[in-house]
Amino acid sequence: MIDTSKVLISRDELSKMVDDVASKINEAYNGEELIVVGILTGAFVFISDLVRKLDMPVTIDFMQVSSYEGENSTGVLKVKKDLSTDITGKNVLIVEDIIDTGYTLQCLKNMLGKNNPKSLKICAAFDKPDRRVNDLKPDFKGLVIPDEFVVGYGLDYNGMYRNLPDVCVVKFVED
Ligand code: IMP
Ligand code: MG
């Protein structure tokens, strides 16, 4: 059985986190047009909160990639949905839910970089730096979290719990 009763980050803290990240992004782009690339499915809650706080002209596109099954990365990045927008010469901000090993975003950065965007930056709601296998650093990040598996605010365990309004720790308990 799975217990998700332990709240790690409350909805109020999440709301403040979004405000902080949005104001840093607004400051960095200084009114320049931006293409926000949301990584499905986990980033859908964060991105919907975040884009409503951005003050430059914004277009939004999504990609879906996967390297995970259950709790573990399979080490192979599959593109399930590609961009619909031409990003050549544009400011691009990849928005992800969480950076764990850093593998997903490193692969994505390399892939999108080949299309010669004007700029290519990364924003993540959560960061687990203890788990990193490369030197990937987000340009904008919400909150650093410990090495624990969390769900809620878009994050899932096997597709479940994305709808939880707080970020909660997953505890596996015997039935
Ligand atoms: P990375 O490639 O290891 O950095 O993995 C990033 C992806 O792993 C995220 O987009 C999430 O889908 C998933 N992930 C990593 N940690 C967690 C977690 O604690 N809860 C839910 N999903 C996670
Ligand atoms: Mg994800």
Side-chain angles (χ1 to χ4, degrees), residues 38-78:
I39 308 306
L40 295 171
T41 303
F44 83 105
V45 179
F46 179 47
I47 202 172
S48 72
D49 281 348
L50 185 70
V51 292
R52 284 177 290 167
K53 303 258 158 93
L54 298 182
D55 59 16
M56 70 287 276
V58 165
T59 56
I60 299 166
D61 201 348
F62 291 98
M63 283 185 79
Q64 188 163 27
V65 296
S66 79
S67 68
Y68 266 69
E69 273 169 24
E71 260 190 293
N72 297 303
S73 172
T74 60
V76 183
L77 195 74
K78 283 185 266 180

Side-chain angles (χ1 to χ4, degrees), residues 39-43 65 67-68 70-71 73 77 96-106 128 131-133 136 145-146 148-152 154-157 162 170:
I39 308 306
L40 295 171
T41 303
V65 296
S67 68
Y68 266 69
E71 260 190 293
S73 172
L77 195 74
E96 174 63 306
D97 48 8
I98 188 165
I99 314 180
D100 187 32
T101 62
Y103 179 78
T104 305
L105 280 170
Q106 189 63 64
K128 282 190 207 170
R131 297 258 307 161
R132 203 75 93 251
V133 297
L136 186 104
I145 62 170
E148 286 190 279
F149 201 82
V150 291
V151 291
L155 291 158
D156 73 308
Y157 174 70
R162 295 192 194 278
V170 170

Side-chain angles (χ1 to χ4, degrees), residues 120-135:
L120 180 59
K121 292 194 158 124
I122 288 173
C123 172
F126 311 110
D127 189 9
K128 282 190 207 170
D130 294 347
R131 297 258 307 161
R132 203 75 93 251
V133 297
N134 51 29
D135 59 4

